[in-house]
């Protein structure tokens, strides 16, 4: 194949990828509108196992907000859900604001490069600073900010960096969760810090611990039918402030 033909083919693949990304963005906003949780029943109406579990779930959690399934859904869902809560709680916002202010120096002291960290930290603090006080935003503006990919992705990146910092700071504890011969630093550089990498319970424990925010994850799968969908709190024994629904490979936001 000639260089020109290869170039045309590559451009065609890129255009196709852009079209797919555009279609995904139209179908799946980064953070969706609030919906009744019963909407999930329509997705699984032909599956009695899921219908049984969802019927129980909808008795506890009345609303749902969908998050784009792009590998960042855990962080984006967590960020939006907790920021939404802070809009209604001035005292908790002040504590969180003070805690986050100290994260940049903590991460720099752990060896994270200052010149890359500062942009993400500044963008994160710009939003956090407007969750209370005189320049407080409303819920509609928060939703708009989380759906602007530039700002929204910066928020996700900083949450990933906080998670990475916590995993490395408490390496002795989290090392037990690792498989294979990777060091914790290698794991973080490959599986935590890059965008679009999926998250599991270890990430949830680290982020919840690093920010002092309790996370409850409700698991919906084809497991044991007789019980309610299992719930796990991260870190253990916390008081949950954020509720997430986990279906294999994806997180959405739940509301009681």
């Amino acid at each position: 194949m000639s260089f020109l033909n290869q170039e045309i083919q590559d451009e065609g693949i890129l255009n196709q990828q852009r079209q797919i990304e555009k279609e995904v963005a139209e179908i799946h906003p980064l953070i969706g509108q609030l919906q009744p949780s019963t909407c999930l029943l329509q997705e699984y109406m032909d599956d009695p196992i899921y219908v049984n579990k969802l019927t129980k779930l909808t008795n506890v959690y009345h609303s749902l907000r969908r998050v784009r399934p792009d590998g960042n859904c855990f962080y984006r869902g967590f960020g939006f859900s907790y920021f939404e809560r802070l809009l209604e709680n001035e005292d908790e916002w002040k504590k969180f604001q003070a805690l986050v202010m100290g994260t940049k120096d903590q991460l720099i002291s752990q060896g994270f490069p200052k010149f890359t960290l500062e942009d993400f930290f500044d963008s994160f603090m710009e939003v956090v600073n407007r969750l209370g006080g005189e320049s407080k935003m409303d819920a509609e503006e928060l939703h708009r900010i989380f759906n602007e990919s530039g700002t929204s992705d910066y928020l996700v990146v900083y949450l990933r960096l906080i998670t990475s910092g916590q995993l490395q700071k408490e390496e002795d504890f989290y090392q037990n969760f690792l498989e294979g011969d990777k060091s914790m630093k290698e794991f973080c550089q490959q599986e935590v810090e890059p965008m679009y990498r999926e998250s599991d319970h270890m990430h949830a424990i680290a982020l919840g611990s690093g920010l002092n925010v309790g996370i409850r994850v409700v698991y919906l799968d084809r497991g044991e039918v007789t019980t309610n969908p299992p719930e796990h709190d991260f870190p253990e024994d916390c008081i949950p402030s954020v509720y997430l629904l986990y279906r294999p490979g994806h997180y959405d936001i739940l509301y009681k």
Side-chain angles (χ1 to χ4, degrees):
M1 183 185 293
S2 72
F3 178 75
L4 180 59
N5 286 341
Q6 180 65 52
E7 211 170 44
I8 292 169
Q9 187 178 18
D10 290 348
E11 184 61 30
I13 291 168
L14 281 172
N15 286 336
Q16 187 178 22
Q17 188 177 342
R18 288 188 198 107
Q19 184 60 33
I20 291 169
E21 288 171 357
K22 186 182 175 204
E23 289 170 6
V24 168
E26 288 170 356
I27 297 168
H28 299 287
L30 292 171
I31 296 287
Q33 297 291 343
L34 206 59
Q35 298 176 278
S37 58
T38 50
C39 68
L40 292 168
L41 285 165
Q42 297 165 9
E43 289 181 38
Y44 297 101
M45 58 195 315
D46 297 325
D47 190 322
I49 292 176
Y50 276 104
V51 167
N52 183 294
K53 288 190 169 189
L54 283 167
T55 301
K56 293 172 180 174
L57 182 143
T58 55
N59 289 331
V60 179
Y61 300 95
H62 303 299
S63 302
L64 166 88
R65 204 183 281 274
R66 296 179 191 270
V67 184
R68 184 183 294 173
D70 60 0
N72 297 313
C73 51
F74 167 70
Y75 296 99
R76 210 181 309 271
F78 167 88
F80 183 84
S81 179
Y82 190 58
F83 284 10
E84 194 176 34
R85 172 187 169 92
L86 292 179
L87 285 175
E88 305 298 325
N89 193 323
E90 188 90 1
D91 289 340
E92 191 171 345
W93 164 67
K94 287 177 181 175
K95 289 176 187 173
F96 182 75
Q97 185 186 40
L99 185 151
V100 174
M101 278 296 293
T103 56
K104 182 179 79 169
D105 288 342
Q106 171 64 41
L107 290 170
I108 290 171
S109 75
Q110 289 181 242
F112 286 80
K114 182 178 179 181
F115 68 95
T116 53
L117 194 65
E118 282 192 324
D119 280 351
F120 298 116
F121 171 78
D122 290 346
S123 294
F124 197 84
M125 286 308 303
E126 275 180 33
V127 177
V128 169
N129 289 339
R130 295 199 53 225
L131 297 174
E134 293 181 5
S135 60
K136 180 179 174 180
M137 69 178 77
D138 59 19
E140 188 177 332
E141 186 176 357
L142 180 67
H143 186 255
R144 180 180 58 75
I145 285 170
F146 265 84
N147 277 292
E148 292 172 353
S149 59
T151 305
S152 192
D153 285 352
Y154 265 51
L155 297 174
V156 168
V157 168
Y158 199 67
L159 289 172
R160 285 182 175 276
L161 292 173
I162 289 171
T163 304
S164 175
Q166 183 70 15
L167 287 168
Q168 293 181 67
K169 188 170 75 167
E170 306 290 343
E171 181 178 355
D172 289 346
F173 170 71
Y174 292 107
Q175 194 73 40
N176 299 316
F177 295 101
L178 288 188
E179 298 175 1
D181 299 327
K182 280 183 186 173
S183 69
M184 182 55 74
K185 186 167 187 176
E186 287 171 334
F187 174 79
C188 288
Q189 289 174 341
Q190 295 168 22
E191 302 294 337
V192 181
E193 295 167 20
M195 292 288 278
Y196 313 113
R197 304 298 291 179
E198 292 183 358
S199 307
D200 61 21
H201 62 284
M202 183 166 70
H203 303 72
I205 297 169
L207 183 60
S209 300
L211 292 178
N212 293 336
V213 178
I215 306 167
R216 175 165 292 174
V217 179
V218 183
Y219 290 83
L220 184 64
D221 56 25
R222 299 187 63 81
E224 178 64 47
V225 185
T226 56
T227 60
N228 290 329
E231 300 178 335
H232 294 286
D233 293 344
F234 304 110
E236 199 174 354
D237 299 326
C238 69
I239 297 172
S241 299
V242 170
Y243 298 88
L244 299 175
L245 173 65
Y246 178 79
R247 290 176 280 176
H250 182 60
Y251 294 86
D252 288 311
I253 304 168
L254 287 172
Y255 296 84
K256 284 193 164 186

